[in-house]
Coordinates of all heavy atoms in Angstrom, one line a residue:
M844 N -21.6 -52.5 224.2 CA -21.5 -51.1 224.0 C -20.3 -50.7 223.1 O -20.4 -49.8 222.3 CB -21.4 -50.4 225.4 CG -21.4 -48.9 225.3 SD -23.0 -48.4 224.8 CE -23.1 -46.8 225.4
R845 N -19.2 -51.5 223.3 CA -18.1 -51.2 222.5 C -18.4 -51.5 221.0 O -17.9 -50.8 220.1 CB -16.9 -52.1 222.9 CG -15.6 -51.8 222.2 CD -14.5 -52.7 222.6 NE -14.2 -52.6 224.0 CZ -13.1 -53.1 224.5 NH1 -12.3 -53.8 223.8 NH2 -12.8 -52.9 225.8
A846 N -19.1 -52.6 220.7 CA -19.5 -53.0 219.4 C -20.3 -51.9 218.7 O -20.2 -51.6 217.5 CB -20.2 -54.3 219.3
L847 N -21.2 -51.3 219.5 CA -22.1 -50.2 219.0 C -21.2 -49.0 218.6 O -21.4 -48.4 217.5 CB -23.1 -49.8 220.0 CG -24.0 -48.7 219.6 CD1 -24.9 -49.1 218.4 CD2 -24.9 -48.3 220.8
L848 N -20.3 -48.6 219.4 CA -19.4 -47.5 219.1 C -18.5 -47.8 217.9 O -18.3 -46.9 217.1 CB -18.5 -47.1 220.3 CG -19.3 -46.5 221.5 CD1 -18.3 -46.4 222.7 CD2 -19.9 -45.2 221.2
I849 N -18.0 -49.0 217.8 CA -17.2 -49.3 216.7 C -18.0 -49.3 215.4 O -17.6 -48.8 214.4 CB -16.5 -50.7 216.9 CG1 -15.5 -50.6 218.0 CG2 -15.9 -51.2 215.6 CD1 -14.9 -52.0 218.4
S850 N -19.3 -49.8 215.4 CA -20.1 -49.8 214.2 C -20.5 -48.4 213.8 O -20.5 -48.0 212.6 CB -21.3 -50.7 214.4 OG -22.1 -50.2 215.4
V851 N -20.8 -47.5 214.8 CA -21.1 -46.1 214.5 C -19.9 -45.4 213.9 O -20.0 -44.7 212.9 CB -21.7 -45.4 215.7 CG1 -21.8 -43.9 215.5 CG2 -23.0 -46.0 216.1
A852 N -18.7 -45.7 214.4 CA -17.5 -45.0 213.9 C -17.2 -45.5 212.5 O -16.8 -44.7 211.7 CB -16.4 -45.3 214.9
S853 N -17.4 -46.8 212.3 CA -17.1 -47.3 210.9 C -18.1 -46.8 209.9 O -17.8 -46.5 208.8 CB -17.0 -48.8 210.9 OG -18.3 -49.3 211.3
L854 N -19.3 -46.6 210.3 CA -20.4 -46.1 209.4 C -20.1 -44.6 209.1 O -20.2 -44.2 207.9 CB -21.7 -46.2 210.1 CG -22.9 -45.7 209.2 CD1 -23.0 -46.5 208.0 CD2 -24.2 -45.8 210.0
A855 N -19.6 -43.9 210.1 CA -19.3 -42.5 209.8 C -18.1 -42.4 208.9 O -18.0 -41.5 208.0 CB -19.0 -41.8 211.2
A856 N -17.1 -43.2 209.1 CA -15.9 -43.2 208.2 C -16.3 -43.6 206.8 O -15.8 -43.0 205.8 CB -14.9 -44.2 208.7
F857 N -17.2 -44.6 206.6 CA -17.7 -45.0 205.3 C -18.4 -43.8 204.6 O -18.2 -43.6 203.5 CB -18.6 -46.2 205.5 CG -19.3 -46.6 204.2 CD1 -18.6 -47.2 203.2 CD2 -20.7 -46.4 204.0 CE1 -19.2 -47.6 202.0 CE2 -21.3 -46.7 202.9 CZ -20.6 -47.4 201.9
A858 N -19.3 -43.2 205.4 CA -20.1 -42.1 204.8 C -19.2 -40.9 204.4 O -19.5 -40.2 203.4 CB -21.2 -41.6 205.8
A859 N -18.1 -40.6 205.1 CA -17.3 -39.5 204.8 C -16.3 -39.8 203.7 O -15.7 -38.9 203.2 CB -16.5 -39.1 206.1
G860 N -16.1 -41.1 203.4 CA -15.1 -41.5 202.4 C -15.5 -41.2 201.0 O -16.6 -40.7 200.7
P861 N -14.7 -41.5 200.0 CA -15.0 -41.3 198.6 C -16.1 -42.2 198.0 O -16.5 -42.0 197.0 CB -13.6 -41.5 197.9 CG -12.9 -42.4 198.8 CD -13.3 -42.1 200.2
T862 N -16.4 -43.2 198.8 CA -17.5 -44.1 198.3 C -18.8 -43.4 198.1 O -19.5 -43.6 197.1 CB -17.7 -45.3 199.3 OG1 -16.4 -45.9 199.6 CG2 -18.6 -46.3 198.8
L863 N -19.2 -42.5 199.0 CA -20.4 -41.8 198.8 C -20.3 -40.4 198.4 O -21.2 -39.6 198.4 CB -21.2 -41.8 200.2 CG -21.6 -43.2 200.7 CD1 -22.3 -43.1 202.1 CD2 -22.5 -43.9 199.7
A864 N -19.1 -40.0 197.9 CA -18.9 -38.7 197.5 C -19.7 -38.4 196.2 O -19.8 -39.2 195.3 CB -17.4 -38.4 197.2
Q865 N -20.3 -37.2 196.1 CA -21.0 -36.9 194.9 C -20.2 -36.1 194.0 O -19.3 -35.3 194.4 CB -22.2 -36.0 195.3 CG -23.3 -36.8 196.1 CD -24.5 -35.9 196.4 OE1 -24.5 -34.7 196.1 NE2 -25.5 -36.5 197.1
E866 N -20.4 -36.2 192.7 CA -19.7 -35.5 191.7 C -20.2 -34.0 191.7 O -21.2 -33.7 192.3 CB -19.9 -36.1 190.3 CG -21.3 -36.1 189.8 CD -21.4 -36.8 188.5 OE1 -21.3 -38.0 188.4 OE2 -21.6 -36.0 187.5
D867 N -19.5 -33.2 191.0 CA -19.9 -31.8 190.9 C -21.3 -31.7 190.4 O -21.7 -32.4 189.5 CB -18.9 -31.1 190.0 CG -19.2 -29.6 189.9 OD1 -19.7 -29.0 190.8 OD2 -18.9 -29.0 188.8
H868 N -22.0 -30.7 191.0 CA -23.4 -30.6 190.6 C -23.6 -30.3 189.1 O -24.5 -30.8 188.5 CB -24.1 -29.4 191.4 CG -25.5 -29.4 191.3 ND1 -26.4 -30.3 191.9 CD2 -26.3 -28.5 190.6 CE1 -27.6 -30.0 191.6 NE2 -27.6 -28.9 190.8
A869 N -22.8 -29.5 188.5 CA -22.9 -29.2 187.1 C -22.6 -30.4 186.3 O -23.0 -30.5 185.1 CB -22.0 -28.0 186.7
G870 N -21.9 -31.4 186.8 CA -21.5 -32.6 186.0 C -22.7 -33.4 185.7 O -22.8 -34.0 184.6
H871 N -23.7 -33.5 186.5 CA -24.9 -34.3 186.2 C -26.1 -33.5 185.9 O -27.2 -34.0 185.7 CB -25.2 -35.3 187.4 CG -25.6 -34.7 188.6 ND1 -24.7 -34.3 189.6 CD2 -26.8 -34.4 189.2 CE1 -25.3 -33.8 190.6 NE2 -26.6 -33.8 190.4
H872 N -26.0 -32.2 185.7 CA -27.0 -31.3 185.2 C -26.5 -30.4 184.1 O -26.1 -29.3 184.4 CB -27.6 -30.4 186.3 CG -28.5 -31.1 187.3 ND1 -29.7 -31.5 187.0 CD2 -28.2 -31.5 188.6 CE1 -30.2 -32.1 188.1 NE2 -29.4 -32.1 189.0
P873 N -26.3 -31.0 182.9 CA -25.8 -30.2 181.9 C -26.7 -29.0 181.5 O -27.9 -29.0 181.7 CB -25.7 -31.1 180.7 CG -26.7 -32.2 181.0 CD -26.8 -32.3 182.5
T874 N -26.0 -27.9 181.1 CA -26.8 -26.7 180.8 C -27.5 -26.9 179.5 O -27.1 -27.6 178.5 CB -25.9 -25.5 180.6 OG1 -24.9 -25.8 179.6 CG2 -25.2 -25.2 181.9
T875 N -28.7 -26.4 179.4 CA -29.5 -26.5 178.1 C -29.6 -25.1 177.4 O -30.4 -25.0 176.5 CB -30.9 -27.0 178.5 OG1 -31.5 -26.1 179.4 CG2 -30.9 -28.4 179.0
A876 N -28.9 -24.1 177.9 CA -28.9 -22.8 177.3 C -28.4 -22.9 175.9 O -27.3 -23.5 175.6 CB -28.1 -21.8 178.1
G877 N -29.1 -22.3 174.9 CA -28.7 -22.3 173.6 C -29.0 -23.5 172.7 O -28.8 -23.5 171.5
T878 N -29.5 -24.6 173.4 CA -29.8 -25.7 172.6 C -31.3 -25.6 172.1 O -32.2 -25.3 172.9 CB -29.7 -27.0 173.4 OG1 -30.5 -27.0 174.6 CG2 -28.2 -27.2 173.8
P879 N -31.5 -25.8 170.9 CA -32.9 -25.7 170.4 C -33.8 -26.9 170.9 O -33.2 -28.0 171.2 CB -32.8 -25.8 168.9 CG -31.5 -26.6 168.7 CD -30.6 -26.2 169.8
P880 N -35.1 -26.7 171.1 CA -35.9 -27.8 171.5 C -35.9 -28.9 170.5 O -35.8 -28.7 169.3 CB -37.3 -27.2 171.7 CG -37.2 -25.9 170.8 CD -35.8 -25.5 170.8
A881 N -36.1 -30.1 171.0 CA -36.1 -31.3 170.1 C -37.3 -31.2 169.1 O -38.4 -30.9 169.5 CB -36.2 -32.5 170.9
A882 N -37.0 -31.4 167.9 CA -38.0 -31.4 166.9 C -38.9 -32.6 167.0 O -38.5 -33.7 167.3 CB -37.4 -31.4 165.5
S883 N -40.2 -32.4 167.0 CA -41.1 -33.5 167.2 C -41.2 -34.3 165.9 O -41.2 -33.7 164.8 CB -42.5 -33.0 167.6 OG -43.1 -32.2 166.6
T884 N -41.3 -35.6 166.0 CA -41.4 -36.4 164.9 C -42.9 -36.9 164.7 O -43.6 -36.9 165.7 CB -40.5 -37.7 165.1 OG1 -41.0 -38.4 166.2 CG2 -39.1 -37.3 165.2
P885 N -43.3 -37.3 163.6 CA -44.7 -37.8 163.4 C -45.0 -38.9 164.3 O -46.1 -39.0 164.9 CB -44.8 -38.2 162.0 CG -43.7 -37.4 161.3 CD -42.6 -37.2 162.3
A886 N -44.0 -39.8 164.6 CA -44.3 -41.0 165.4 C -44.5 -40.5 166.9 O -45.3 -41.0 167.6 CB -43.1 -41.9 165.4
A887 N -43.7 -39.5 167.3 CA -43.8 -39.0 168.7 C -45.2 -38.3 168.8 O -45.8 -38.4 169.9 CB -42.7 -38.1 169.0
D888 N -45.6 -37.5 167.8 CA -46.9 -36.8 167.8 C -48.0 -37.8 167.9 O -49.0 -37.6 168.6 CB -47.0 -35.9 166.6 CG -46.1 -34.7 166.6 OD1 -45.6 -34.4 167.7 OD2 -45.9 -34.2 165.6
A889 N -47.9 -38.9 167.1 CA -48.9 -40.0 167.2 C -49.0 -40.6 168.5 O -50.1 -40.9 169.0 CB -48.6 -41.0 166.1
D890 N -47.8 -40.8 169.2 CA -47.8 -41.4 170.5 C -48.5 -40.6 171.5 O -49.3 -41.0 172.3 CB -46.4 -41.8 170.9 CG -45.8 -43.0 170.2 OD1 -46.6 -43.7 169.6 OD2 -44.6 -43.1 170.2
T891 N -48.2 -39.2 171.5 CA -48.8 -38.3 172.4 C -50.3 -38.2 172.2 O -51.1 -38.2 173.1 CB -48.2 -36.9 172.4 OG1 -48.3 -36.4 171.1 CG2 -46.7 -37.0 172.8
M892 N -50.7 -38.2 170.9 CA -52.1 -38.2 170.6 C -52.8 -39.5 171.1 O -53.9 -39.4 171.7 CB -52.3 -38.1 169.1 CG -53.8 -38.0 168.7 SD -53.9 -37.9 166.9 CE -55.6 -38.3 166.7
H893 N -52.1 -40.6 170.9 CA -52.7 -41.9 171.4 C -52.9 -41.9 172.9 O -53.9 -42.3 173.4 CB -51.8 -43.0 170.9 CG -52.4 -44.4 171.2 ND1 -53.4 -44.9 170.6 CD2 -52.0 -45.3 172.2 CE1 -53.7 -46.1 171.1 NE2 -52.8 -46.3 172.1
E894 N -51.9 -41.3 173.6 CA -52.0 -41.3 175.1 C -53.2 -40.4 175.5 O -53.9 -40.7 176.4 CB -50.7 -40.8 175.7 CG -49.6 -41.9 175.6 CD -49.9 -43.2 176.2 OE1 -50.5 -43.2 177.3 OE2 -49.7 -44.2 175.5
K895 N -53.3 -39.2 174.8 CA -54.4 -38.3 175.2 C -55.8 -39.0 174.9 O -56.7 -38.9 175.7 CB -54.3 -37.0 174.4 CG -53.2 -36.1 174.8 CD -53.1 -34.9 174.0 CE -52.0 -34.0 174.4 NZ -51.9 -32.8 173.5
C896 N -55.8 -39.7 173.8 CA -57.1 -40.4 173.4 C -57.4 -41.5 174.4 O -58.6 -41.7 174.7 CB -57.0 -40.9 172.0 SG -57.2 -39.6 170.7
K897 N -56.4 -42.2 174.9 CA -56.6 -43.3 175.8 C -57.2 -42.7 177.1 O -58.0 -43.3 177.8 CB -55.3 -44.0 176.2 CG -55.0 -45.1 175.2 CD -53.6 -45.7 175.3 CE -53.3 -46.2 176.7 NZ -52.0 -46.9 176.8
A898 N -56.8 -41.5 177.5 CA -57.3 -40.8 178.7 C -58.8 -40.5 178.5 O -59.6 -40.5 179.4 CB -56.5 -39.6 179.0
V899 N -59.2 -40.1 177.3 CA -60.6 -39.7 177.0 C -61.5 -40.9 176.7 O -62.6 -41.1 177.2 CB -60.6 -38.7 175.8 CG1 -62.1 -38.4 175.4 CG2 -59.9 -37.5 176.1
M900 N -60.9 -41.9 175.9 CA -61.8 -43.0 175.4 C -61.8 -44.2 176.3 O -62.6 -45.0 176.2 CB -61.3 -43.4 174.0 CG -61.3 -42.3 173.0 SD -62.9 -41.7 172.6 CE -63.6 -43.0 171.7
A901 N -60.8 -44.3 177.2 CA -60.7 -45.3 178.3 C -60.7 -46.7 177.6 O -59.9 -47.0 176.8 CB -61.8 -45.2 179.3
S902 N -61.6 -47.6 178.0 CA -61.6 -49.0 177.6 C -61.9 -49.2 176.1 O -61.6 -50.3 175.6 CB -62.5 -49.8 178.5 OG -63.8 -49.4 178.2
K903 N -62.4 -48.2 175.4 CA -62.6 -48.4 174.0 C -61.3 -48.5 173.2 O -61.3 -49.1 172.2 CB -63.4 -47.2 173.5 CG -64.8 -47.1 174.0 CD -65.5 -45.9 173.4 CE -66.9 -45.7 174.0 NZ -67.6 -44.5 173.5
M904 N -60.2 -48.0 173.8 CA -58.9 -48.2 173.1 C -58.2 -49.5 173.5 O -57.2 -49.7 173.0 CB -58.0 -47.0 173.5 CG -58.6 -45.6 173.2 SD -58.5 -45.1 171.6 CE -56.8 -44.7 171.4
A905 N -58.8 -50.2 174.4 CA -58.1 -51.5 174.8 C -58.2 -52.5 173.7 O -59.0 -52.5 172.8 CB -58.8 -52.0 176.1
A906 N -57.3 -53.5 173.8 CA -57.3 -54.6 172.9 C -58.6 -55.4 173.0 O -59.2 -55.5 174.0 CB -56.2 -55.5 173.1
T907 N -59.1 -55.9 171.9 CA -60.4 -56.7 171.9 C -60.1 -58.1 172.4 O -59.1 -58.7 172.1 CB -61.0 -56.7 170.5 OG1 -60.0 -57.3 169.6 CG2 -61.3 -55.4 170.0
Q908 N -61.0 -58.6 173.1 CA -60.9 -59.9 173.7 C -61.4 -61.0 172.7 O -62.5 -60.8 172.1 CB -61.8 -60.1 175.0 CG -61.3 -59.2 176.1 CD -60.0 -59.6 176.6 OE1 -59.7 -60.8 176.7 NE2 -59.1 -58.6 177.0
P909 N -60.6 -62.0 172.5 CA -61.0 -63.1 171.6 C -62.1 -63.9 172.2 O -62.1 -64.0 173.5 CB -59.8 -63.9 171.3 CG -58.9 -63.6 172.5 CD -59.3 -62.2 173.0
H910 N -63.0 -64.5 171.5 CA -64.0 -65.4 172.0 C -63.3 -66.7 172.4 O -62.7 -67.4 171.5 CB -65.1 -65.6 171.0 CG -66.2 -66.4 171.5 ND1 -67.1 -66.0 172.5 CD2 -66.6 -67.7 171.3 CE1 -68.0 -66.9 172.8 NE2 -67.7 -68.0 172.1
D911 N -63.3 -67.1 173.7 CA -62.6 -68.2 174.1 C -63.5 -69.0 175.1 O -63.8 -68.6 176.2 CB -61.3 -67.8 174.9 CG -60.5 -68.9 175.3 OD1 -60.9 -70.1 175.1 OD2 -59.4 -68.6 175.8
H912 N -63.9 -70.2 174.6 CA -64.9 -71.0 175.4 C -64.2 -71.4 176.7 O -64.9 -71.5 177.7 CB -65.3 -72.2 174.6 CG -66.2 -71.9 173.5 ND1 -67.6 -71.6 173.7 CD2 -66.0 -71.8 172.2 CE1 -68.1 -71.3 172.6 NE2 -67.2 -71.5 171.6
G913 N -62.9 -71.7 176.7 CA -62.3 -72.1 178.0 C -62.4 -71.0 179.0 O -62.6 -71.2 180.2
R914 N -62.2 -69.8 178.6 CA -62.3 -68.6 179.5 C -63.7 -68.4 179.9 O -64.0 -68.1 181.1 CB -61.7 -67.4 178.9 CG -61.7 -66.2 179.8 CD -61.1 -65.0 179.2 NE -59.9 -65.2 178.4 CZ -59.4 -64.4 177.6 NH1 -59.9 -63.2 177.5 NH2 -58.3 -64.7 176.9
D915 N -64.6 -68.6 179.0 CA -66.0 -68.4 179.3 C -66.5 -69.4 180.3 O -67.3 -69.0 181.2 CB -66.9 -68.6 178.0 CG -66.6 -67.5 177.0 OD1 -66.0 -66.4 177.4 OD2 -67.0 -67.7 175.8
K916 N -66.1 -70.6 180.2 CA -66.5 -71.7 181.2 C -65.8 -71.6 182.5 O -66.5 -71.8 183.5 CB -66.4 -73.0 180.5 CG -67.3 -73.3 179.4 CD -67.1 -74.6 178.7 CE -67.9 -74.8 177.5 NZ -67.7 -76.1 176.9
T917 N -64.5 -71.4 182.5 CA -63.8 -71.5 183.8 C -63.4 -70.1 184.3 O -63.1 -70.0 185.5 CB -62.5 -72.3 183.6 OG1 -61.6 -71.6 182.7 CG2 -62.8 -73.7 183.0
G918 N -63.4 -69.1 183.5 CA -62.9 -67.8 184.0 C -61.4 -67.7 184.1 O -60.9 -66.7 184.5
A919 N -60.7 -68.8 183.7 CA -59.3 -68.7 183.8 C -58.7 -67.9 182.7 O -59.2 -67.9 181.5 CB -58.7 -70.2 183.6
P920 N -57.6 -67.1 183.0 CA -57.0 -66.3 181.9 C -56.2 -67.2 181.0 O -55.6 -68.2 181.4 CB -56.1 -65.4 182.7 CG -55.8 -66.1 184.0 CD -57.0 -66.9 184.3
T921 N -56.4 -67.0 179.7 CA -55.7 -67.7 178.7 C -54.9 -66.8 177.7 O -55.3 -65.6 177.7 CB -56.6 -68.6 177.9 OG1 -57.6 -67.8 177.3 CG2 -57.3 -69.7 178.7
W922 N -54.0 -67.3 177.0 CA -53.2 -66.5 176.1 C -53.9 -66.6 174.7 O -54.2 -67.7 174.3 CB -51.8 -66.9 176.0 CG -51.0 -66.1 175.1 CD1 -50.6 -66.3 173.9 CD2 -50.4 -64.8 175.5 NE1 -49.9 -65.3 173.4 CE2 -49.7 -64.4 174.3 CE3 -50.4 -64.0 176.6 CZ2 -49.0 -63.2 174.3 CZ3 -49.8 -62.8 176.5 CH2 -49.1 -62.4 175.4
P923 N -54.0 -65.6 173.9 CA -53.6 -64.2 174.1 C -54.8 -63.5 174.9 O -55.9 -63.9 174.8 CB -53.5 -63.7 172.7 CG -54.4 -64.5 171.9 CD -54.4 -65.9 172.5
Q924 N -54.4 -62.5 175.6 CA -55.4 -61.7 176.3 C -56.2 -60.8 175.4 O -57.2 -60.3 175.9 CB -54.7 -60.9 177.4 CG -54.0 -61.8 178.4 CD -55.0 -62.6 179.2 OE1 -56.1 -62.3 179.5 NE2 -54.6 -63.8 179.5
G925 N -55.8 -60.6 174.3 CA -56.5 -59.8 173.3 C -55.7 -59.4 172.1 O -54.5 -59.6 172.1
K926 N -56.4 -59.0 171.1 CA -55.7 -58.6 169.9 C -55.7 -57.1 169.7 O -56.7 -56.5 170.1 CB -56.2 -59.3 168.6 CG -57.7 -59.0 168.3 CD -58.1 -59.7 167.1 CE -59.6 -59.3 166.9 NZ -59.9 -58.8 165.6
K927 N -54.7 -56.6 169.2 CA -54.7 -55.1 169.0 C -55.7 -54.7 168.0 O -56.1 -55.5 167.1 CB -53.3 -54.7 168.5 CG -52.2 -54.8 169.5 CD -50.9 -54.3 168.9 CE -49.8 -54.4 169.9 NZ -48.5 -53.9 169.4
L928 N -56.2 -53.5 168.1 CA -57.2 -53.0 167.2 C -56.5 -52.7 165.8 O -55.3 -52.4 165.8 CB -57.8 -51.6 167.7 CG -58.6 -51.8 169.0 CD1 -58.9 -50.4 169.5 CD2 -59.8 -52.6 168.8
S929 N -57.2 -52.9 164.8 CA -56.6 -52.6 163.4 C -56.4 -51.1 163.3 O -57.0 -50.3 164.0 CB -57.6 -53.1 162.3 OG -58.7 -52.3 162.3
P930 N -55.5 -50.8 162.3 CA -55.2 -49.3 162.1 C -56.5 -48.6 161.8 O -56.7 -47.4 162.1 CB -54.2 -49.3 161.0 CG -53.6 -50.7 161.0 CD -54.6 -51.6 161.5
E931 N -57.4 -49.2 161.0 CA -58.7 -48.5 160.7 C -59.5 -48.3 161.9 O -60.1 -47.2 162.1 CB -59.5 -49.4 159.7 CG -58.8 -49.5 158.3 CD -57.7 -50.6 158.3 OE1 -57.8 -51.5 159.2 OE2 -56.9 -50.5 157.4
E932 N -59.6 -49.3 162.8 CA -60.4 -49.1 164.0 C -59.8 -48.0 164.9 O -60.5 -47.2 165.5 CB -60.4 -50.4 164.8 CG -61.3 -51.5 164.1 CD -61.1 -52.9 164.8 OE1 -60.0 -53.2 165.2 OE2 -62.1 -53.6 164.9
M933 N -58.4 -48.0 165.0 CA -57.8 -47.0 165.8 C -58.0 -45.6 165.2 O -58.2 -44.7 166.0 CB -56.3 -47.4 165.9 CG -55.5 -46.6 167.0 SD -56.2 -46.8 168.7 CE -55.7 -48.5 169.0
E934 N -57.9 -45.5 163.9 CA -58.1 -44.2 163.3 C -59.5 -43.7 163.6 O -59.8 -42.5 163.9 CB -57.9 -44.3 161.8 CG -57.9 -43.0 161.1 CD -56.9 -42.0 161.5 OE1 -55.8 -42.4 161.9 OE2 -57.2 -40.8 161.5
K935 N -60.5 -44.6 163.5 CA -61.9 -44.3 163.8 C -62.0 -43.8 165.3 O -62.7 -42.8 165.5 CB -62.8 -45.5 163.6 CG -64.2 -45.2 163.9 CD -65.0 -46.5 163.7 CE -66.5 -46.3 164.1 NZ -67.2 -47.6 164.1
L936 N -61.3 -44.4 166.2 CA -61.4 -44.0 167.6 C -60.7 -42.7 167.8 O -61.2 -41.8 168.6 CB -60.8 -45.1 168.5 CG -61.6 -46.3 168.7 CD1 -60.9 -47.4 169.5 CD2 -62.9 -46.0 169.4
H937 N -59.6 -42.4 167.1 CA -58.9 -41.1 167.2 C -59.8 -40.0 166.7 O -59.8 -38.9 167.3 CB -57.6 -41.2 166.4 CG -56.5 -41.9 167.2 ND1 -56.1 -41.5 168.4 CD2 -55.7 -43.0 166.8 CE1 -55.1 -42.4 168.8 NE2 -54.9 -43.2 167.8
K938 N -60.5 -40.2 165.6 CA -61.4 -39.2 165.1 C -62.5 -38.9 166.0 O -62.9 -37.8 166.3 CB -61.9 -39.6 163.7 CG -60.9 -39.5 162.6 CD -61.5 -40.0 161.3 CE -60.4 -39.9 160.2 NZ -60.9 -40.4 158.9
Q939 N -63.1 -40.0 166.6 CA -64.1 -39.9 167.6 C -63.6 -39.1 168.8 O -64.3 -38.2 169.4 CB -64.6 -41.3 168.0 CG -65.8 -41.3 168.9 CD -66.3 -42.7 169.3 OE1 -65.6 -43.7 168.9 NE2 -67.4 -42.8 169.9
C940 N -62.4 -39.4 169.2 CA -61.8 -38.7 170.4 C -61.6 -37.2 170.0 O -61.9 -36.3 170.9 CB -60.5 -39.3 170.7 SG -59.5 -38.4 171.9
E941 N -61.1 -36.9 168.8 CA -60.9 -35.5 168.4 C -62.2 -34.7 168.5 O -62.3 -33.6 168.9 CB -60.3 -35.4 167.0 CG -58.9 -35.8 167.0 CD -58.3 -35.8 165.5 OE1 -59.1 -35.5 164.6 OE2 -57.2 -36.0 165.4
T942 N -63.3 -35.3 168.0 CA -64.6 -34.6 168.1 C -65.1 -34.4 169.5 O -65.6 -33.4 169.9 CB -65.7 -35.4 167.3 OG1 -65.9 -36.7 167.9 CG2 -65.4 -35.5 165.8
M943 N -64.8 -35.4 170.4 CA -65.2 -35.2 171.8 C -64.3 -34.1 172.5 O -64.9 -33.4 173.3 CB -65.0 -36.6 172.6 CG -66.0 -37.6 172.2 SD -65.6 -39.2 173.0 CE -65.9 -38.8 174.7
M944 N -63.1 -34.1 172.1 CA -62.2 -33.1 172.7 C -62.4 -31.7 172.2 O -62.2 -30.7 172.8 CB -60.7 -33.5 172.6 CG -60.4 -34.6 173.4 SD -58.7 -35.4 173.3 CE -57.7 -34.0 172.9
S945 N -62.9 -31.6 170.9 CA -63.2 -30.3 170.3 C -64.4 -29.6 170.8 O -64.6 -28.4 170.6 CB -63.2 -30.4 168.8 OG -64.3 -31.1 168.4
K946 N -65.3 -30.4 171.4 CA -66.6 -29.8 171.9 C -66.2 -28.9 173.0 O -65.3 -29.1 173.8 CB -67.5 -30.9 172.4 CG -68.1 -31.7 171.3 CD -69.0 -32.8 171.8 CE -69.6 -33.7 170.7 NZ -70.4 -34.8 171.2
D947 N -67.1 -27.9 173.2 CA -66.9 -26.9 174.3 C -67.1 -27.7 175.6 O -67.9 -28.6 175.7 CB -67.9 -25.8 174.3 CG -67.6 -24.9 173.1 OD1 -66.4 -24.8 172.6 OD2 -68.5 -24.2 172.6
A948 N -66.3 -27.3 176.6 CA -66.4 -27.9 178.0 C -67.8 -27.6 178.5 O -68.5 -26.6 178.3 CB -65.4 -27.3 178.9
A949 N -68.3 -28.6 179.3 CA -69.6 -28.4 179.9 C -69.6 -27.3 180.9 O -68.6 -27.0 181.5 CB -70.0 -29.7 180.6
P950 N -70.7 -26.5 181.0 CA -70.7 -25.4 182.0 C -70.5 -25.9 183.4 O -70.9 -27.0 183.7 CB -72.1 -24.8 181.8 CG -72.9 -25.8 181.1 CD -72.0 -26.7 180.4
A951 N -69.9 -25.1 184.2 CA -69.6 -25.5 185.6 C -70.9 -25.6 186.3 O -71.8 -24.8 186.1 CB -68.7 -24.4 186.2
P952 N -71.1 -26.6 187.2 CA -72.3 -26.7 188.0 C -72.4 -25.5 189.0 O -71.4 -24.9 189.4 CB -72.1 -28.0 188.8 CG -70.7 -28.2 188.8 CD -70.1 -27.6 187.6
K953 N -73.7 -25.1 189.3 CA -73.9 -24.0 190.1 C -73.9 -24.4 191.6 O -74.2 -25.4 192.0 CB -75.2 -23.3 189.8 CG -75.2 -22.7 188.4 CD -76.5 -22.0 188.1 CE -76.4 -21.3 186.7 NZ -77.6 -20.7 186.4

């Protein structure tokens, strides 16, 4: 019982000490008033477009699997797992995605 009381008292002293003290709230939340929004860059725009297209196109945007007889026969994973799509293939998929997203949404079911 004495050990339990000593451990509880030491834990309370530890928690009350400067070890767990938090800094001022404003110190870790700087104000953003008056700061202009970050300008988007073409690379950032392309990344967001790519993420949106991945959500729409799903596995069509995945890397292509190389033909591998070892994997075909044994099912064992081998390196490389796939090669990235060429820029032309990716551009084609982005255009296909844009046309899919520009179509009107399907009417709600009754």
Side-chain angles (χ1 to χ4, degrees):
M844 186 65 157
R845 183 184 298 191
L847 179 64
L848 290 174
I849 291 172
S850 63
V851 169
S853 64
L854 182 61
F857 173 73
T862 306
L863 297 178
Q865 293 182 357
E866 63 183 73
D867 182 31
H868 190 74
H871 65 273
H872 286 288
T874 60
T875 57
T878 57
S883 62
T884 61
D888 292 341
D890 287 341
T891 56
M892 179 182 169
H893 184 72
E894 291 302 317
K895 287 179 185 177
C896 286
K897 277 174 50 178
V899 173
M900 301 298 284
S902 63
K903 291 180 183 177
M904 303 279 289
T907 58
Q908 295 293 324
H910 183 71
D911 185 356
H912 288 285
R914 185 180 314 169
D915 294 342
K916 291 179 182 178
T917 64
T921 57
W922 185 262
Q924 295 300 323
K926 63 178 179 125
K927 292 183 178 180
L928 298 174
S929 69
E931 294 81 21
E932 292 171 320
M933 193 59 71
E934 186 63 32
K935 179 182 172 187
L936 287 174
H937 282 303
K938 287 180 182 175
Q939 188 178 5
C940 172
E941 285 177 0
T942 59
M943 288 174 68
M944 289 173 35
S945 67
K946 291 181 182 175
D947 293 334
K953 293 182 181 180

